[in-house]
């Protein structure tokens, strides 16, 4: 974790991986009927505020860190990454901006989504990121979607600008099981696997998640793999704080 670019990429990975679980009841069956979104039968999660704590591991760097995540639907995503007993990075994401503090390098980043696309080849918007965090199916433009039944999976392929998005919904739980995003121009590829589902108040949640990112590097592809497993999550209608400040001596990147 020796640069603001790495901190940002790692932090975004944590956000993509983070899910929402509370008071899980192992082995219980799902009782909530699925809804239909663009011809896909799915059980999505709704919420106002939530906070989550978990453990994140990077297979490539052998790094293990704790994550605290807070969120208000449609307004803000906030995360703190703790490693070696102290906070290494803090992130705050809003519908139009991203803020990152790298405490290991006394650096910070403030930028728009357009800036992220240009500097980091990260093509994402707040709405999509918010839903992936929760593990929700994300409907797109019906005119640019193709639905297939792939065994026990509903497979929906969506084209959005230069992105090809594939979502797989497990018909035994009606929950998003896997999401894949391909940048058809840069050849960047990301997949998220949702694992170890438990019943939570009649709805299934992924207790473990696995993120894989592939980026072209010469004639080969560089692959980064990050895994997360939650230990504590709660939801509430009570407002949460999302503190974010930058020390005056930090350098902007």
């Amino acid at each position: 974790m020796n640069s603001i670019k790495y901190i940002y990429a790692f932090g975004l990975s944590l956000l993509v991986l983070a899910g929402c679980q509370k008071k899980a009841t192992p082995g219980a069956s799902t009782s909530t009927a699925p809804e239909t979104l663009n011809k896909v039968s799915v059980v999505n999660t709704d919420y106002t505020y939530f906070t989550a704590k978990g453990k994140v591991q990077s297979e490539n760097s052998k790094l293990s860190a704790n994550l605290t995540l807070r969120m208000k639907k449609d307004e803000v995503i906030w995360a703190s990454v703790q490693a070696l007993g102290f906070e290494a990075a803090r992130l705050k994401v809003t519908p139009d901006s991203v803020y990152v503090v790298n405490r290991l390098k006394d650096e910070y980043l403030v930028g728009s989504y357009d800036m992220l696309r240009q500097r980091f080849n990260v093509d994402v918007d707040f709405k999509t990121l918010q839903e992936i965090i929760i593990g929700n199916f994300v409907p797109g433009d019906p005119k640019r979607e193709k639905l297939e039944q792939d065994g026990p999976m509903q497979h929906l392929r969506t084209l959005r600008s230069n992105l090809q998005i594939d979502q797989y919904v497990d018909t035994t739980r009606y929950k998003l099981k896997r999401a894949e995003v391909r940048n058809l121009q840069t050849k960047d590829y990301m997949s998220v696997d949702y694992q170890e589902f438990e019943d939570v108040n009649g709805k299934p949640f992924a207790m473990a998640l696995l993120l894989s990112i592939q980026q072209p590097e010469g004639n080969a592809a560089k692959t980064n793999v990050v895994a997360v497993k939650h230990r504590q999550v709660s939801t509430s209608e009570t407002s949460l704080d999302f503190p974010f400040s930058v020390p005056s001596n930090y350098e902007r990147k």
Side-chain angles (χ1 to χ4, degrees), residues 19-225:
C20 175
Q21 307 90 24
K22 61 175 182 177
K23 299 180 181 176
T25 305
S29 60
T30 300
S31 60
T32 301
E35 60 180 323
T36 301
L37 298 175
N38 290 17
K39 299 182 180 180
V40 174
S41 298
V42 65
V43 175
N44 270 351
T45 299
D46 198 12
Y47 62 96
T48 302
Y49 293 94
F50 77 79
T51 181
K53 293 184 179 181
K55 193 79 171 181
V56 180
Q57 293 182 311
S58 169
E59 293 186 6
N60 300 73
S61 64
K62 307 301 181 183
L63 178 68
S64 179
N66 293 316
L67 170 70
T68 300
L69 177 69
R70 298 174 186 173
M71 190 168 174
K72 181 178 182 182
K73 186 177 180 180
D74 297 332
E75 294 190 18
V76 61
I77 301 165
W78 179 98
S80 174
V81 181
Q82 305 96 32
L84 302 176
F86 62 93
E87 184 179 61
R90 183 172 293 194
L91 302 95
K92 183 177 181 180
V93 183
T94 67
D96 57 10
S97 301
V98 174
Y99 309 83
V100 184
V101 168
N102 179 354
R103 302 197 187 282
L104 301 181
K105 292 284 288 182
D106 295 346
E107 298 172 347
Y108 72 100
L109 177 150
V110 178
S112 65
Y113 291 96
D114 286 339
M115 182 275 290
L116 297 178
R117 294 183 185 101
Q118 294 171 8
R119 292 182 59 179
F120 303 110
N121 289 328
V122 175
D123 194 349
V124 68
D125 61 82
F126 184 88
K127 177 67 174 178
T128 301
L129 178 59
Q130 172 182 259
E131 299 292 33
I132 291 176
I133 288 173
I134 300 301
N136 279 350
F137 167 79
V138 184
D141 182 354
K143 296 179 181 179
R144 306 196 71 190
E145 293 181 338
K146 180 181 179 181
L147 176 64
E148 296 180 355
Q149 192 71 30
D150 188 5
M153 297 288 179
Q154 298 172 95
H155 173 200
L156 190 79
R157 173 167 291 178
T158 305
L159 295 178
R160 190 183 70 187
S161 184
N162 60 321
L163 297 181
Q164 176 181 291
I165 303 172
D166 291 274
Q167 298 180 84
Y168 298 84
V169 176
D170 182 357
T171 56
T172 63
R173 301 183 182 90
Y174 296 104
K175 196 67 180 176
L176 186 65
K177 178 67 174 177
R178 180 177 174 89
E180 301 175 352
V181 180
R182 290 177 175 84
N183 189 313
L184 300 178
Q185 292 181 353
T186 66
K187 307 305 180 183
D188 290 348
Y189 169 81
M190 181 190 77
S191 66
V192 184
D193 288 286
Y194 300 89
Q195 305 170 348
E196 298 183 22
F197 286 88
E198 301 289 356
D199 190 278
V200 180
N201 296 337
K203 291 186 177 182
F205 289 88
M207 304 298 289
L209 302 96
L210 188 70
L211 171 71
S212 178
I213 298 175
Q214 294 181 2
Q215 295 179 307
E217 194 170 276
N219 295 324
K222 181 181 179 181
T223 302
N224 294 296
V225 179

